[in-house]
Amino acid sequence: MDFMKIIESLDEALYSVMSWLIFYPMTLWRTIVEPQRMMDYADREVSDRPDEQYDDAIRPPLFLFLTLLISHGLEIATVARNPLLSETRGLAALVDSDLALLALRMLLFSLFPLMVAVRLLRRQHTRLNQASLRRPFYAQCYTAAPFALVLGIGTLAPNLPFAGAGIISAGVIGAGTVWYFATLARWFARKLHVPLLVGAGDACVASLYSIVLFVLAATIIH
């Protein structure tokens, strides 16, 4: 009986992993092309029954994790080893493996959807609790993923063996940042029913909180 349960678990796990090969690129494309629609999709799916949620896309937190995994894999293929793994002082000594580094990146980049979600709830004067936070957090995981991927690719570009790599790096990071900020501004404007300029202000505040916490956490670890 236990053996059959193990087989069934392996069957489900194998199907889930293989299905990512189809649904991950679909989710990434839809998020880049139609970010507002994907965030609305995340809102709707949270209300569905657990076995019916996100049946045609990757779940938002998992999507963010897989994106960071891809970014991490590209780093390994490009620079072989992150310098942080060689650090032996302070909290950096805890990051002693690629798995630990990946977990750290997941934690750091999750600050962006978290701070944006909190900003929205505060502006809506909504009580902050587990249920109210989940919707905007899940929605923001979708847009944070391409942003994290672009930052990862952009920081790796200077390692490419040809001239102009620095310009490519700046261009990739700049384009990703503009896309992410514009997406946030429009999302705030729609959710709060305010002009786009006001939404851009909220996007600035939420982004500033996220960046400060991101840099602070990274500084403490280093």
Side-chain angles (χ1 to χ4, degrees):
M1 189 65 170
D2 292 339
F3 178 74
M4 290 305 299
K5 288 182 178 179
I6 293 174
I7 294 298
E8 291 174 359
S9 298
L10 289 174
D11 176 76
E12 185 62 29
L14 178 61
Y15 173 74
S16 296
V17 171
M18 296 309 294
S19 69
W20 295 345
L21 298 177
I22 302 297
F23 290 109
Y24 177 82
M26 288 175 55
T27 305
L28 180 61
W29 174 255
R30 290 165 61 188
T31 301
I32 294 173
V33 176
E34 299 177 319
Q36 304 299 323
R37 182 172 295 181
M38 284 302 289
M39 288 187 286
D40 291 342
Y41 169 78
D43 277 348
R44 293 193 306 271
E45 292 296 305
V46 168
S47 301
D48 287 350
R49 289 180 2 187
D51 59 333
E52 296 179 352
Q53 292 178 348
Y54 307 101
D55 60 343
D56 60 343
I58 302 292
R59 293 179 66 86
L62 177 60
F63 178 60
L64 178 57
F65 172 78
L66 292 177
T67 302
L68 291 172
L69 180 62
I70 291 173
S71 179
H72 187 71
L74 291 174
E75 180 185 62
I76 293 175
T78 305
V79 300
R81 182 176 177 84
N82 190 291
L84 185 61
L85 295 177
S86 301
E87 287 284 343
T88 58
R89 296 176 298 176
L91 294 178
L94 298 176
V95 186
D96 58 355
S97 66
D98 286 306
L99 183 59
L101 181 57
L102 180 60
L104 174 62
R105 282 176 167 158
M106 183 67 183
L107 179 63
L108 292 177
F109 278 101
S110 293
L111 290 172
F112 286 90
L114 179 64
M115 290 296 100
V116 173
V118 170
R119 176 65 181 178
L120 178 70
L121 295 179
R122 291 305 187 196
R123 291 280 280 117
Q124 291 177 329
H125 305 291
T126 301
R127 182 171 177 268
L128 184 62
N129 54 39
Q130 293 282 351
S132 64
L133 184 63
R134 185 182 300 273
R135 286 178 181 275
F137 177 77
Y138 270 42
Q140 287 302 313
C141 280
Y142 271 140
T143 53
F147 177 58
L149 182 60
V150 166
L151 288 184
I153 293 174
T155 54
L156 291 177
N159 296 294
L160 298 177
F162 56 79
I167 297 177
I168 294 175
S169 173
V172 169
I173 293 176
T177 302
V178 169
W179 176 88
Y180 184 60
F181 182 80
T183 299
L184 288 185
R186 188 180 173 195
W187 184 72
F188 273 113
R190 288 195 310 115
K191 289 296 183 180
L192 299 174
H193 306 288
V194 297
L196 183 60
L197 187 60
V198 178
D202 285 306
C204 283
V205 173
S207 298
L208 181 60
Y209 287 156
S210 304
I211 292 171
V212 168
L213 288 177
F214 187 100
V215 173
L216 180 61
T219 302
I220 291 175
I221 292 170
H222 276 284

